[in-house]
Amino acid sequence: MSVVPSSLLPASAVPAFRGRIGRDVHSGHYAVPHRYRLHVAPYDPDCLGIVLTHSLLGLDDTLPLTVLPETPDTPDGGYSALRPLYEASAHLYDGPAAAPVLSDSWTGRIVSTHVPDIIRDLALRFRGEGPELLPEEHRGEIEAIADLCERSVNRAAQRAGELGLDGEAAHRDPLTVLFAALGSLEHRLAGNPYVLGDAPTAADVHVWVTLVQLDTVHRWHLDAAAMDRVAGYPALWAYARRLAARTEFARHLDIEALLRRHRAHCRGREAAGGAIRLVDWSGTAR
């Protein structure tokens, strides 16, 4: 495992615990039922992606979840319940004890706080009878879609809604990126039930969580004209509604808690974009 010392990180950052789950007993950390535990706050998009992966794979009886309170209980935005794990895992650790955490009950230490690694290891090492979320032939595409979601949807929507941008073009340019990304996803879903074809993969985890964010959080920072264009991708939003009706996708989703978390840190324009959400994320289409 590699740990970035807290002295080398921004004050708000969490050290990058990057342990991995290996293939067998020679790997140090290897997949054993009930050895590991996930500590998550599903109101955070990164944690939501992890719990969705966990749910799709049916890991309740193999890898337990601890769902943390909606509001962190320490001044630095961490959780006091996680502090023993951080202090056992990094000498003299004094940063925030933040979620998510994959912990090892045999050692009482953290395996990983790195979201992409956690999702990969759940899909590759704990799959069991669950779907193949990271098929070998699609791994490059899945990484590209994850990057598209983060850079061209989440970051572009956030940028388009920021205060203090200089001139109309500063808002228009990230919207151009956003609409191009949504168009790309619309094209993929026009003839397929899932992003990469007939079966769910990790790409669907990335896309669905991104659509949750777009329709419940970013929409408040985009004006009505922008939201009208966001709504103009029928295959994309039909896909979002269809998956929202599945228990695996909706079981850990708390929209009101997600919004409260967002508002506590909000620096957007609060322009009150679309008045009606495009999806009822509890599972019934509006």
Side-chain angles (χ1 to χ4, degrees):
M1 180 196 303
S2 62
V3 179
V4 179
S6 58
S7 61
L8 300 181
L9 290 165
S12 61
V14 176
F17 292 86
R18 294 289 299 272
R20 301 299 303 272
I21 306 299
R23 294 178 180 274
D24 53 40
V25 296
H26 303 293
S27 305
H29 292 115
Y30 56 97
V32 178
H34 311 297
R35 174 177 176 178
Y36 305 97
R37 179 174 290 273
L38 282 165
H39 310 258
V40 292
Y43 336 101
D44 171 87
D46 287 338
C47 288
L48 182 59
I50 290 172
V51 298
L52 175 51
T53 302
H54 182 276
S55 184
L56 285 168
L57 293 170
L59 297 180
D60 287 346
D61 295 330
T62 300
L63 203 170
L65 281 178
T66 293
V67 177
L68 296 161
E70 174 186 333
T71 305
D73 59 357
T74 62
D76 58 7
Y79 290 92
S80 56
L82 297 180
R83 181 148 296 280
L85 287 169
Y86 275 87
E87 292 179 347
S89 305
H91 182 59
L92 299 178
Y93 176 74
D94 62 358
V101 166
L102 174 64
S103 68
D104 179 358
S105 63
W106 290 5
T107 65
R109 296 183 178 184
I110 292 171
V111 178
S112 182
T113 60
H114 189 257
V115 174
D117 286 352
I118 293 173
I119 289 176
R120 289 188 197 103
D121 287 348
L122 293 181
L124 294 175
R125 307 294 180 232
F126 291 94
R127 175 189 168 195
E129 299 300 319
E132 190 172 3
L133 297 182
L134 281 175
E136 181 69 37
E137 67 272 20
H138 289 307
R139 289 185 192 175
E141 282 184 278
I142 291 169
E143 289 183 6
I145 289 166
D147 186 70
L148 177 82
C149 289
E150 179 56 29
R151 294 176 183 271
S152 300
V153 180
N154 286 324
R155 293 187 193 177
Q158 182 67 37
R159 181 64 175 162
E162 284 180 355
L163 285 168
L165 294 184
D166 186 15
E168 181 182 346
H171 296 288
R172 184 179 63 245
D173 292 348
L175 285 175
T176 300
V177 173
L178 171 64
F179 298 142
L182 296 180
S184 173
L185 294 172
E186 174 79 6
H187 179 74
R188 284 181 174 275
L189 289 162
N192 295 311
Y194 298 99
V195 175
L196 294 179
D198 295 328
T201 66
D204 297 285
V205 173
H206 297 303
V207 171
W208 194 77
V209 171
T210 297
L211 294 177
V212 170
Q213 282 289 102
L214 181 59
D215 192 35
T216 63
V217 171
H218 295 312
R219 64 189 289 271
W220 295 108
H221 307 308
L222 302 175
D223 63 25
M227 281 307 299
D228 282 345
R229 288 195 62 183
V230 168
Y233 300 93
L236 187 61
W237 295 109
Y239 158 88
R241 288 190 291 271
R242 186 173 68 253
L243 296 193
R246 292 181 52 173
T247 301
E248 307 98 301
F249 283 79
R251 62 183 295 204
H252 291 295
L253 182 62
D254 185 335
I255 292 298
E256 295 308 313
L258 187 154
L259 285 171
R260 287 191 293 270
R261 174 191 175 278
H262 168 72
R263 288 167 184 153
H265 303 91
C266 180
R267 292 177 176 80
R269 290 189 290 171
E270 291 295 349
I276 299 175
R277 287 180 188 157
L278 300 174
V279 176
D280 177 352
W281 297 100
S282 66
T284 304
R286 290 186 186 274

